[in-house]
């Protein structure tokens, strides 16, 4: 006589399905975290400072880079804490949980992230400006086709030697950008540490009408 094994009860089946769902969700979040940590991240452009290259409200894809893969002319996202912005208080309680979830999804609430263009590399001497109004890099004029139409290369005169391990960065909309020129009296003399670079902007992903790649710089 064959005995039919008892079917799992409804609560047991629901528990099994719930366990699988939790596992799938955990794997998905882990994959998102791994991709975000080691490969790409998404950011929203907050201001006009990078026009006409990037408009406020656009979402961009940022490719993780290391200190050896930053070129003059690259558009980068970096953490300006301690240089461009004061060190914020660490989030607590639910705010900390929300920050962690946002971090997984590509947002960085509560942090001071900036998008600018690399103009000076470690060891460069950057000067404003020559008789034609161009920036000079080690005495040579820098051609900047990306600067906002009608803007000067800089309305602020400066002459700075970029320290080793640091970068001089500026917005493309020079008349509407708070960048290295605005922080000459800050730690680092307006420069940012290579270790604070989050990544290089490689593409605009939203809105769809503006989607496209962002060319990297040619300067070494």
């Amino acid at each position: 006589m064959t005995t039919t094994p008892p079917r799992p009860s409804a609560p047991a089946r629901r528990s099994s399905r719930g366990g699988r769902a939790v596992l799938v969700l955990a794997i998905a979040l882990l994959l998102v975290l791994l991709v975000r940590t080691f490969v790409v991240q998404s950011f929203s452009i907050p201001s006009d400072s990078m026009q006409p290259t990037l408009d406020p409200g656009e979402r961009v894809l940022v490719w993780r880079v290391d200190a050896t893969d930053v070129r003059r002319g690259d558009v980068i996202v970096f953490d300006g804490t301690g240089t461009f912005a004061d060190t914020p208080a660490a989030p607590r309680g639910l705010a900390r949980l929300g920050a962690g979830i946002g971090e997984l999804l590509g947002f960085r609430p509560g942090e001071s992230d900036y998008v600018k263009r690399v103009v000076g590399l470690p060891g460069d001497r950057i000067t404003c400006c020559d008789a034609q109004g161009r920036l000079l890099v080690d005495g040579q004029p820098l051609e900047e086709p990306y600067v906002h139409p009608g803007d000067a290369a800089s309305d602020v005169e400066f002459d700075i030697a970029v320290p080793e391990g640091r970068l001089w960065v500026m917005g493309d909309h020079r008349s509407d950008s708070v960048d290295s020129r605005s922080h000459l009296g800050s730690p680092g003399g307006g420069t940012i540490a290579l270790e604070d670079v989050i990544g290089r902007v490689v593409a605009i992903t939203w809105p769809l009408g503006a989607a496209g790649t962002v060319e990297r710089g040619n300067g070494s």
Side-chain angles (χ1 to χ4, degrees):
M1 179 177 178
T2 303
T3 303
T4 303
R7 297 183 61 188
S9 65
R13 291 196 299 271
R14 285 196 296 269
S15 176
S16 176
R17 287 196 295 268
R20 287 196 295 269
V22 170
L23 178 60
V24 169
L25 179 60
I27 292 173
L29 288 175
L30 178 61
L31 289 175
V32 169
L33 179 61
L34 289 174
V35 169
R36 179 201 169 282
T37 301
F38 298 107
V39 186
V40 294
Q41 190 171 348
S42 177
F43 285 87
S44 178
I45 303 302
S47 71
D48 300 336
S49 70
M50 282 302 295
Q51 287 180 319
T53 306
L54 303 172
D55 289 325
E58 290 180 342
R59 291 204 66 83
V60 296
L61 198 64
V62 175
W63 187 267
R64 292 274 180 174
V65 295
D66 59 32
T68 65
D69 191 31
V70 177
R71 300 179 185 174
R72 184 182 303 108
D74 283 351
V75 178
I76 61 169
V77 172
F78 63 94
D79 183 358
T81 302
T83 52
F84 277 39
D86 295 332
T87 302
R92 296 182 178 181
L94 291 176
R96 184 175 182 180
L97 176 61
I101 294 173
E103 187 86 358
L104 287 175
L105 298 176
F107 302 95
R108 297 170 63 88
E111 293 190 21
S112 300
D113 298 326
Y114 294 80
V115 57
K116 302 295 177 186
R117 190 179 295 272
V118 176
V119 174
L121 296 171
D124 285 346
R125 181 178 179 181
I126 311 297
T127 309
C128 172
C129 289
D130 68 4
Q132 286 73 46
R134 298 171 296 184
L135 298 184
L136 298 175
V137 179
D138 296 332
Q140 299 299 313
L142 180 64
E143 299 299 329
E144 299 186 283
Y146 41 76
V147 171
H148 193 284
D151 277 6
S154 177
D155 293 325
V156 177
E157 294 186 359
F158 57 87
D159 185 348
I160 185 168
V162 183
E164 289 301 321
R166 303 188 73 86
L167 302 169
W168 179 269
V169 296
M170 300 173 70
D172 290 354
H173 198 342
R174 298 287 162 82
S175 64
D176 193 21
S177 175
V178 177
D179 49 40
S180 287
R181 299 169 296 168
S182 307
H183 297 278
L184 289 166
S186 300
T191 61
I192 65 162
L194 277 167
E195 63 189 24
D196 290 333
V197 175
I198 296 167
R200 175 171 57 87
V201 177
V202 295
I204 301 169
T205 59
W206 186 265
L208 294 179
T213 58
V214 175
E215 293 185 7
R216 72 174 313 180
N218 294 320
S220 57

